Amino acid sequence: MAVALRILAAGLHGGHPALDFVNTLDWRDRPMADGGPEDMLVSYGALLAWCRRLGVIGAPTQAELERMAAARAAQANAVLQEAIALREALYRLAQAARQGKTAKPADLEVLNRILLRYPEGRVIAASGSRLGWKTHGEGLELGSPLGAIARLGADLLVTAAPNSIRCCAGPDCGWLFHDTSPNKRRRWCSMESCGNRAKARRHYDRIKKQV
């Protein structure tokens, strides 16, 4: 329950679902001496909750995958490890893109392997007067959400301008975000968190110098 509440309360500051997925490793750059990073992908259930939060899956799909996972715990854990590998590959690929570096073949292999393993298996379906996506037939697998995340990440990496993928300037933060501001000068994952901490730190330093 605590994990689910944290996921529901988590701010989505990446500006793109794939980067919000990458940011499920919180405080990525924090030294181990200070507690190190905090991984929010702590279980297959947490992975599904994040996919729901990011709009990758809906409530019915989440419920069906949870039912499947209960019967295949080992497979669900393997998918969780695959999700973490995908997250880290997307992080390194995004970092390479924003720094103008060549993507590493090993990271592309992780992404492409998931794209090929979990192809799009959805159709348009009516729900009352509204239309939405529905998983087609027997195509739903425990790893299906990874395919959707991989497609989102690949699309971002292919279409986004390199200087639009940025890293928060907050010390130890490490969160990535898609900067869609007109002048591409956004510095913080969130002004309310890292931005305000930096402002408070500057204020403290000015006061200290005056003493």
Side-chain angles (χ1 to χ4, degrees):
M1 180 63 72
V3 172
L5 289 175
R6 183 181 181 188
I7 292 171
L8 288 173
L12 302 180
H13 304 303
H16 190 280
L19 295 183
D20 285 320
F21 178 72
V22 166
N23 293 340
T24 57
L25 186 64
D26 204 3
W27 297 109
R28 182 178 285 274
D29 296 333
R30 186 164 61 185
M32 294 304 297
D34 296 330
E38 297 177 19
D39 200 330
M40 290 183 273
L41 294 184
V42 295
S43 66
Y44 181 77
L47 170 64
L48 293 182
W50 268 108
C51 289
R52 173 83 185 280
R53 179 89 164 87
L54 300 176
V56 172
I57 60 175
T61 299
Q62 181 182 9
E64 177 62 14
L65 288 171
E66 286 174 345
R67 184 192 65 77
M68 293 168 61
R72 304 182 221 164
Q75 186 180 347
N77 186 63
V79 170
L80 173 64
Q81 301 310 312
E82 191 174 23
I84 292 172
L86 172 62
R87 180 186 67 191
E88 297 310 298
L90 286 174
Y91 171 76
R92 291 187 293 268
L93 289 168
Q95 286 282 44
R98 79 179 191 87
Q99 294 169 0
K101 296 180 179 179
T102 301
K104 292 185 177 179
D107 293 327
L108 289 174
E109 182 181 351
V110 171
L111 178 57
N112 285 327
R113 183 172 63 244
I114 292 174
L115 287 171
L116 292 171
R117 183 178 300 168
Y118 305 112
E120 191 81 45
R122 299 186 298 167
V123 295
I124 291 287
S127 178
S129 61
R130 302 187 63 180
L131 294 177
W133 289 108
K134 178 182 178 181
T135 302
H136 179 60
E138 300 298 322
L140 186 63
E141 302 178 45
L142 289 174
S144 293
L146 302 190
I149 292 170
R151 283 186 290 277
L152 287 166
D155 183 66
L156 175 69
L157 292 168
V158 168
T159 62
N163 66 344
S164 70
I165 299 176
R166 309 195 68 185
C167 186
C168 180
D172 302 341
C173 177
W175 273 18
L176 300 181
F177 57 86
H178 187 211
D179 185 2
T180 57
S181 63
N183 56 11
K184 298 292 185 293
R185 296 183 66 182
R186 179 180 163 189
R187 295 190 63 202
W188 316 106
C189 62
S190 168
M191 194 62 214
E192 290 73 23
S193 56
C194 286
N196 278 341
R197 277 193 289 269
K199 187 186 297 183
R201 191 160 46 248
R202 289 194 299 270
H203 177 72
Y204 172 80
D205 289 343
R206 284 197 299 269
I207 297 298
K208 191 175 180 180
K209 288 178 181 177
Q210 294 171 5
V211 174

